[in-house]
Amino acid sequence: MPSSKDGTMVILSSPSGAGKTTLVNLLSRQKNFETSISHTTRQPRPDEIPNKDYFFVNDIEFKRLINNQEFLEYAKVFNNYYGTTRTPIIDKLNKGKNVLFDIDWQGADQIKNKKLDYKLITFFILPPSKEILYERLSNRHMKDKLIVEERIQQFGRDVLHWINYDYVVINDELNNCYTKIKSLIDAEIKNGSKDYDRNYIRNHVEKLTS
Ligand code: ADP
Ligand code: 5GP
């Protein structure tokens, strides 16, 4: 039975390339924070470490996990499946660990709708501009222009989901963005005051999508 000593779930979502994986990695260095490791059917990138960045599995294994009802959430993103298995998350939360999730809006919706007895804070990360997003995606996928184009095309649809998140943060200078998220998490956990301007974000989204 969850209690007040339980950990908090912190979800970061964003359009691809805005920087959520980088931010989750930074946030996970804090004491008492751990990252949820997802299963995926996509191929590993050259710099990714299996069982650390993802559990890389084939379609058959992913379907087995679905059929066994092992997922807390799962979704199809860019033609591959991604999912979070339930048991490791609940174990961590019950031990008082805060768990960070780098998942898309579909997964965030599923976790929200489950209304688990653990505190949940959701963040949506935005790029400072579409041009900078293009640069970041191009740097990450130097050899694959098609992936960059696909993810830029998806941007306009993904960004609309900002409205369903507790907080939306612009990832311009990395350390400023990290500090902002960290202070919002601290304020949420300790019930402190929050420095957050939703109208500023609404205007930024209008600029990104015009
Ligand atoms: P996402 O997980 O949202 O798809 P990543 O965290 O992989 O995005 O970031 C995409 C690329 O942008 C990576 O190469 C990363 O190093 C870089 N990046 C992330 N945040 C910043 C930032 N604030 N300034 C410059 N580059 C960044
Ligand atoms: P990438 O292939 O760039 O690592 O991730 C693609 C997208 O899948 C990102 O938006 C990422 O947040 C999302 N993603 C990663 N793991 C999961 C997961 O377990 N569940 C869901 N729903 N999305 C995930």
Side-chain angles (χ1 to χ4, degrees), residues 138-154:
S138 302
N139 286 339
R140 197 176 68 186
H141 302 278
M142 281 186 201
K143 291 194 189 123
D144 208 333
K145 271 203 165 324
L146 216 68
I147 290 187
V148 176
E149 293 305 330
E150 178 192 53
R151 293 190 171 203
I152 280 287
Q153 271 186 20
Q154 183 68 28

Side-chain angles (χ1 to χ4, degrees), residues 14 16 20 38-39 42 45 48 54 73-75 77-78 82-84 102-104 107 140 151:
S14 77
S16 183
K20 68 190 164 308
S38 298
H39 284 70
R42 95 151 152 70
R45 296 187 185 126
E48 283 179 329
Y54 279 107
E73 64 75 31
Y74 72 91
V77 189
F78 301 116
Y82 294 80
T84 310
D102 169 347
I103 61 175
D104 84 328
R140 197 176 68 186
R151 293 190 171 203

Side-chain angles (χ1 to χ4, degrees), residues 121-165:
I121 316 170
T122 60
F123 288 92
F124 197 74
I125 312 300
L126 290 175
S129 67
K130 229 173 146 178
E131 291 72 24
I132 291 181
L133 180 69
Y134 193 87
E135 260 174 46
R136 289 185 189 165
L137 283 168
S138 302
N139 286 339
R140 197 176 68 186
H141 302 278
M142 281 186 201
K143 291 194 189 123
D144 208 333
K145 271 203 165 324
L146 216 68
I147 290 187
V148 176
E149 293 305 330
E150 178 192 53
R151 293 190 171 203
I152 280 287
Q153 271 186 20
Q154 183 68 28
F155 172 77
R157 288 187 289 273
D158 281 347
V159 79
L160 301 176
H161 296 282
W162 73 276
I163 200 88
N164 296 322
Y165 285 73

Side-chain angles (χ1 to χ4, degrees), residues 188-202:
E188 278 280 349
I189 291 177
K190 292 174 193 147
N191 249 329
S193 67
K194 291 127 203 148
D195 172 20
Y196 183 65
D197 181 352
R198 204 157 177 93
N199 278 335
Y200 180 77
I201 295 297
R202 193 177 293 277

Side-chain angles (χ1 to χ4, degrees), residues 7-12 23-38 52 84 87-102 185 189:
T8 294
M9 299 189 283
V10 180
I11 296 180
L12 270 74
L23 287 160
V24 163
N25 285 339
L26 285 176
L27 290 162
S28 71
R29 293 184 195 161
Q30 295 172 93
K31 196 170 154 257
N32 223 30
F33 277 74
E34 290 195 12
T35 307
S36 162
I37 304 174
S38 298
K52 180 176 175 288
T84 310
T87 309
I89 304 303
I90 302 298
D91 285 352
K92 286 184 178 98
L93 292 167
N94 287 345
K95 284 182 191 145
K97 303 273 180 208
N98 302 313
V99 182
L100 296 157
F101 298 81
D102 169 347
I185 296 173
I189 291 177

